[in-house]
Amino acid sequence: MLAYIVRRLLYALPILIGVNLVTFALFFVVNTPDDMARMQLGVKRVTPEAIQKWKVERGYDKPLLINAEAGGLASVTNTIFFEKSARMFVGDFGRAEDGRDIAREIGNRMLPSLAIALPTFILGLFVTITFALTLAFFRATAFDFWGVVLCVAAMSISGLFYIIGGQYLISKVWRLVPISGFGDGLEAWRFLILPVLIGVVSGIGSSTRWYRTIFLEEVSKDYVRTARAKGLPETLVFFRHILRNALIPILTGVVVVIPLLFMGSLLTESFFGIPGLGSYTIDAINAQDFSVVRSMVFIGSVLYIVGLILTDISYTLVDPRIRFE
Amino acid sequence: MGFQVVVLWSDILIWLLVAAGVGVGVLIAKNPPLLAAWRRVGANRVGMASATVLLAFILIGLLDSLHYRAQLESKPGQKAVYAIEVLSVLDALAAPLRSRNEKTYSAPFATRLYAKETIDVPGQGTVRDYPRLKHGGKHLGEREDEVAEDAAFTAFKAGLLGFVGWLGVFGAVATVNRKKSPKLKLREAAFAWDAVLLTLLLILVFAVPLFWLSGYYHVFGTDKVGQDVLYQILKSVRTGLIIGLVTTLVMLPMAVLLGIVAGYFRGWVDDLIQYIYTVLNSIPGVLLIAAAVLMMQVVIDTHPQWFSTAAERADLRLLALCFILGITSWTGLCRLLRGETLKLRELEYIQAAQAFGVSSWRIIVRHILPNLMHIVIIALVMDFSGLVLAEAVLSYVGIGVDPTMTSFGTMINNARMELGREPVVWWSLVAAFAAMFILVLAANLFADAVRDAFDPRAA
């Protein structure tokens, strides 16, 4: 098992290097640092001196990949690629345009993101699996039919409308919770309820339909017929047999998401003014702060790869037949 | 009045898509298994009803994809001068909607502005009141309070006209079907004519009055700068369709080619392709899109000389967005196709072909590709609605289409602050919601019908 995890981690390394190269190409090959300087400075203040100053201040005055002037190891390390991209592997993300340390900023913003994402994830999973199981239990009845109709309708509504509608109705008209903002410590819950609720509701449509399909697939299998044949009540068949066996396909989709919870949700956080990583990213996009966006891309891919490994490990816990060599 | 035809890149692609659609239709007609699957789609009532709705949207989008620049009035003998503004056939059809702008917000069917202003009333001096609209309800003159009766009567007339038009279609369909098989009732036809006709009836009875009324009123109100909201909705349809359709066109060749090649040749080719899509997959989609759009923005901003009109710039940005979305979304389909090809290449008939010495590419084209078509079709249809939704979110975040281009996302973005106003301005948001909901719901239902027909195993 340990050997397997180590091998998977080693296998992840080339992928991370690939991610790094892709983002590097996106940010520096399509546009030269001169272009970036021109855009950041604005049309009026562009002079060759200003561009040079901007580049020196932020360390963009070096060659892209190979520094021919510097000798030895410095010819590789004294470059933009090493300074801006390669150092992310050791957690050095550099500074944002406003001069703040990105790594510290990420550390500060992780908790608010988790405070929203974790309850949304767990509650959402509970609600949708329960709903899907109920629909599968009453399969081929009017209840099932209208449930699916409801799911398709819910799927067709853009996430934007859930947020806008929920905020308007619950915060503005009924005045139950504050519209946006974030508090410290225990006070935070009042700010968290609405985003969590909206997060759960907006996910119901597609997830329920997906889980229902998985459950229905299990229902048609032989072991279920055997369980019924030996006289087990239908509820027991569902909760003991089908739910347990449907866990593998559900896990596949779910575990990958867990690390991404750290990233927060771009939309929810910026709408509700929650100082998490999602709103950080959106702000960086709007401010065209490339260093922050680049760091977030890197972290996002690290988390995704961790998620994939976690998925494989979780298989062994659910199904003892799966063993890793 | 003369005009100069303007062909935007997205126009070319969308008409190419139409041509490709016709071509694929011909191919399908020659391929019995695919034809049988499409027949099952045709027999599906919900599927056909949603297809009718989708066709109505596509018609709007196609009308909006024929662009031209109007000729400006000039003295005889002078060289013709053309307007800077690029218009489409839809603009020409909806000219009253486009040109009759108010000063600022006005509610649906309102005859007065939504904000008080200082106005001069003859005999009373200046007073603060809601000024009359320049266009909305102008024909009523002094009888301002009769809006409801007038609108209802006009709607009734128009609805009746729509119904008469529908009767014509109904008659034509019934006659043609009767000729084919005299005893057949429409309800029992192999093609779900009843669903199509019913949907068409609904569309006509709602749309004809809507457009008739829009000649007299601002049916969905006006926005901050006084533009008719109905017009914006119509213009947004094309943006949504292009994102949904052109993106799939961009990703399709890449996904199919790489997926099949990886599965068929295996070895280092497989490793390389798997590596590429794992790398792309590991980058969270929104972030990759954001990064790419930011970069593209820099390119566009630093090369203003590439574009002669604002429409061209917006158009290029839209296409670039399609490409970026395409590059981020081909990986899923590619993986599916690779897995399926791995299975197919072990089957006896492929091995027989190999033993006969048929070349690899010929095997791929003749034997593997046709057997993967159902996966491709399902994936294409399923992706569409997701892309339309994604466009709205991306434009809202500011990394979608050009801010000057009308799309559901930019509409929602503009409308968002209006909910905070007192009194609330709700109509833009509700109209955008309704239009998007209908489009995406129809797409989802149609996708379900297609999946059921092509993949009977899935529930």
Side-chain angles (χ1 to χ4, degrees):
Chain A
M1 185 72 171
L2 191 71
Y4 173 79
I5 295 174
V6 169
R7 209 178 57 216
R8 284 297 302 265
L9 284 175
L10 284 180
Y11 182 67
L13 212 61
I15 290 173
L16 275 179
I17 293 172
V19 169
N20 221 319
L21 283 173
V22 168
T23 41
F24 181 76
L26 263 178
F27 280 92
F28 292 107
V29 177
V30 183
N31 299 285
T32 60
D34 283 30
D35 288 331
M36 286 164 57
R38 250 178 243 129
M39 204 174 67
Q40 290 285 337
L41 289 168
V43 184
K44 282 178 196 156
R45 289 179 290 155
V46 172
T47 58
E49 295 81 43
I51 290 179
Q52 193 54 36
K53 187 163 165 278
W54 187 92
K55 277 160 65 182
V56 172
E57 269 172 15
R58 287 166 176 76
Y60 287 123
D61 54 334
K62 294 167 182 138
L64 276 181
L65 275 170
I66 290 172
N67 193 343
E69 288 168 24
L73 197 64
S75 65
V76 188
T77 55
N78 200 14
T79 57
I80 293 182
F81 178 70
F82 187 80
E83 289 283 322
K84 301 285 173 194
S85 285
R87 281 169 79 159
M88 289 204 277
F89 278 101
V90 289
D92 178 3
F93 297 110
R95 289 181 182 282
E97 288 295 339
D98 58 6
R100 276 192 256 183
D101 186 30
I102 296 179
R104 177 184 296 171
E105 198 74 3
I106 289 171
N108 288 341
R109 286 165 173 272
M110 214 132 94
L111 256 164
S113 278
L114 272 181
I116 294 283
L118 214 59
T120 311
F121 173 72
I122 294 171
L123 213 63
L125 210 57
F126 177 75
V127 170
T128 45
I129 287 187
T130 317
F131 189 33
L133 205 59
T134 326
L135 287 184
F137 189 79
F138 291 105
R139 64 196 169 280
T141 63
F143 178 75
D144 181 32
F145 176 78
W146 287 109
V148 174
V149 169
L150 206 71
C151 284
V152 177
M155 270 166 69
S156 308
I157 298 173
S158 166
L160 292 168
F161 289 108
Y162 283 108
I163 300 179
I164 296 175
Q167 235 176 3
Y168 178 72
L169 214 66
I170 296 177
S171 293
K172 191 154 180 291
V173 178
W174 295 337
R175 295 184 184 281
L176 291 178
V177 288
I179 288 188
S180 66
F182 196 69
D184 281 328
L186 287 175
E187 265 303 283
W189 70 269
R190 291 189 331 137
F191 295 98
L192 292 179
I193 289 183
L194 187 58
V196 168
L197 185 77
I198 289 174
V200 170
V201 170
S202 61
I204 284 182
S206 50
S207 316
T208 305
R209 239 169 76 103
W210 167 239
Y211 295 145
R212 175 181 166 273
T213 321
I214 294 174
F215 287 133
L216 285 184
E217 207 162 290
E218 289 297 321
V219 168
S220 61
K221 285 188 179 161
D222 287 342
Y223 73 89
V224 177
R225 205 178 49 208
T226 314
R228 287 208 192 102
K230 72 182 182 193
L232 281 187
E234 186 73 3
T235 42
L236 208 63
V237 172
F238 257 80
F239 285 98
R240 186 167 302 162
H241 292 73
I242 292 177
L243 185 58
R244 190 176 291 172
N245 280 288
L247 270 180
I248 282 226
I250 291 177
L251 268 178
T252 322
V254 160
V255 183
V256 185
V257 185
I258 292 178
L260 290 180
L261 295 179
F262 288 93
M263 295 282 296
S265 156
L266 303 183
L267 272 188
T268 319
E269 286 184 11
S270 74
F271 252 103
F272 290 95
I274 289 152
L277 290 176
S279 58
Y280 190 47
T281 315
I282 289 241
D283 293 346
I285 291 171
N286 288 332
Q288 308 202 313
D289 189 330
F290 303 114
S291 335
V292 176
V293 176
R294 204 170 50 230
S295 312
M296 297 309 287
V297 169
F298 184 75
I299 296 179
S301 43
V302 170
L303 293 174
Y304 180 80
I305 291 168
V306 172
L308 285 183
I309 299 175
L310 279 184
T311 312
D312 288 347
I313 296 173
S314 66
Y315 283 164
T316 50
L317 303 178
V318 176
D319 189 344
R321 282 173 306 178
I322 300 173
R323 286 266 175 264
F324 295 114
E325 305 300 303
Chain B
M1 202 168 82
F3 60 88
Q4 183 185 34
V5 176
V6 175
V7 183
L8 299 175
W9 283 104
S10 55
D11 294 343
I12 299 179
L13 285 180
I14 213 154
W15 287 105
L16 266 181
L17 263 176
V18 173
V22 173
V24 170
V26 173
L27 282 183
I28 287 172
K30 288 180 185 165
N31 185 333
L34 283 180
L35 188 64
W38 280 111
R39 284 234 168 89
R40 281 197 293 276
V41 179
N44 185 323
R45 291 213 165 78
V46 179
M48 280 299 100
S50 45
T52 316
V53 175
L54 280 181
L55 273 180
F57 273 101
I58 289 174
L59 189 70
I60 296 175
L62 287 181
L63 284 178
D64 204 10
S65 298
L66 293 165
H67 287 97
Y68 69 95
R69 276 160 76 176
Q71 189 177 4
L72 295 177
E73 281 181 39
S74 56
K75 291 191 190 107
Q78 256 181 344
K79 206 173 155 229
V81 184
Y82 296 96
I84 287 291
E85 203 181 5
V86 177
L87 297 176
S88 71
V89 173
L90 182 77
D91 289 324
L93 289 176
L97 282 177
R98 187 171 61 85
S99 55
R100 299 183 324 142
N101 285 353
E102 305 293 344
K103 197 168 166 197
T104 179
Y105 293 118
S106 70
F109 289 106
T111 55
R112 289 179 174 264
L113 270 188
Y114 206 56
K116 276 192 180 173
E117 272 183 17
T118 315
I119 38 175
D120 286 314
V121 178
Q124 291 173 27
T126 56
V127 284
R128 276 193 74 73
D129 196 8
Y130 301 102
R132 265 305 282 270
L133 293 180
K134 277 188 283 180
H135 306 287
K138 192 173 146 205
H139 65 292
L140 289 175
E142 290 300 306
R143 305 175 289 121
E144 246 184 272
D145 40 351
E146 291 173 20
V147 170
E149 294 119 68
D150 179 68
F153 183 62
T154 316
F156 179 72
K157 270 195 303 188
L160 220 57
L161 188 80
F163 184 68
V164 171
W166 177 79
L167 279 182
V169 178
F170 178 79
V173 169
T175 334
V176 170
N177 271 293
R178 193 63 43 91
K179 263 193 193 141
K180 271 195 214 155
S181 48
K183 290 228 170 126
L184 189 80
K185 288 201 176 92
L186 274 184
R187 204 152 35 83
E188 295 148 7
F191 183 79
W193 277 114
D194 50 344
V196 172
L197 285 172
L198 192 67
T199 320
L200 198 65
L201 177 68
L202 281 176
I203 293 176
L204 283 176
V205 168
F206 276 103
V208 174
L210 191 69
F211 286 103
W212 196 307
L213 280 172
S214 70
Y216 301 103
Y217 300 97
H218 297 293
V219 187
F220 291 156
T222 54
D223 71 348
K224 193 174 181 179
V225 291
Q227 211 178 28
D228 197 289
V229 172
L230 177 61
Y231 175 68
Q232 293 181 13
I233 297 275
L234 289 178
K235 294 295 276 184
S236 301
V237 169
R238 176 178 187 263
T239 317
L241 287 179
I242 286 192
I243 293 276
L245 295 174
V246 175
T247 303
T248 48
L249 187 77
V250 168
M251 66 163 236
L252 186 64
M254 203 152 51
V256 172
L257 184 73
L258 293 182
I260 293 180
V261 166
Y264 187 80
F265 291 109
R266 299 195 286 199
W268 67 269
V269 182
D270 189 17
D271 288 339
L272 182 72
I273 290 169
Q274 272 198 69
Y275 176 71
I276 294 173
Y277 73 62
T278 321
V279 165
L280 282 178
N281 239 349
S282 335
I283 307 176
V286 183
L287 289 178
L288 186 59
I289 294 164
V293 171
L294 272 183
M295 291 308 99
M296 180 190 70
Q297 191 56 41
V298 181
V299 174
I300 288 179
D301 285 350
T302 46
H303 299 92
Q305 72 276 10
W306 290 354
F307 317 101
S308 57
T309 55
E312 274 180 35
R313 203 190 60 210
D315 186 63
L316 200 79
R317 191 169 158 167
L318 177 68
L319 278 192
L321 185 66
C322 290
F323 271 89
I324 294 162
L325 281 170
I327 286 170
T328 52
S329 59
W330 62 277
T331 52
L333 180 59
C334 184
R335 191 158 55 189
L336 270 181
L337 292 178
R338 173 184 168 270
E340 199 66 20
T341 312
L342 278 177
K343 255 190 272 170
L344 283 180
R345 81 184 297 276
E346 300 304 327
L347 294 183
E348 278 89 357
Y349 71 95
I350 303 274
Q351 291 187 336
Q354 279 167 341
F356 276 124
V358 180
S359 78
S360 297
W361 287 107
R362 211 174 156 70
I363 293 179
I364 287 177
V365 174
R366 291 295 297 270
H367 300 300
I368 293 187
L369 192 59
N371 284 304
L372 294 174
M373 273 327 269
H374 65 286
I375 298 181
V376 174
I377 290 172
I378 292 172
L380 284 191
V381 187
M382 299 284 263
D383 278 353
F384 175 79
S385 56
L387 286 167
V388 175
L389 292 179
E391 184 276 326
V393 171
L394 291 175
S395 297
Y396 173 81
V397 178
I399 50 174
V401 299
D402 196 81
T404 58
M405 182 171 245
T406 324
S407 80
F408 291 120
T410 49
M411 275 188 78
I412 297 164
N413 197 7
N414 295 334
R416 183 186 160 203
M417 285 304 147
E418 294 164 0
L419 278 183
R421 278 174 54 107
E422 284 299 336
V424 169
V425 175
W426 48 268
W427 44 87
S428 307
L429 202 66
V430 171
F433 169 78
M436 231 178 122
F437 180 68
I438 295 173
L439 174 61
V440 176
L441 184 67
N444 274 337
L445 291 175
F446 183 66
D448 278 357
V450 169
R451 196 198 46 190
D452 288 347
F454 280 85
D455 186 10
R457 282 167 302 158

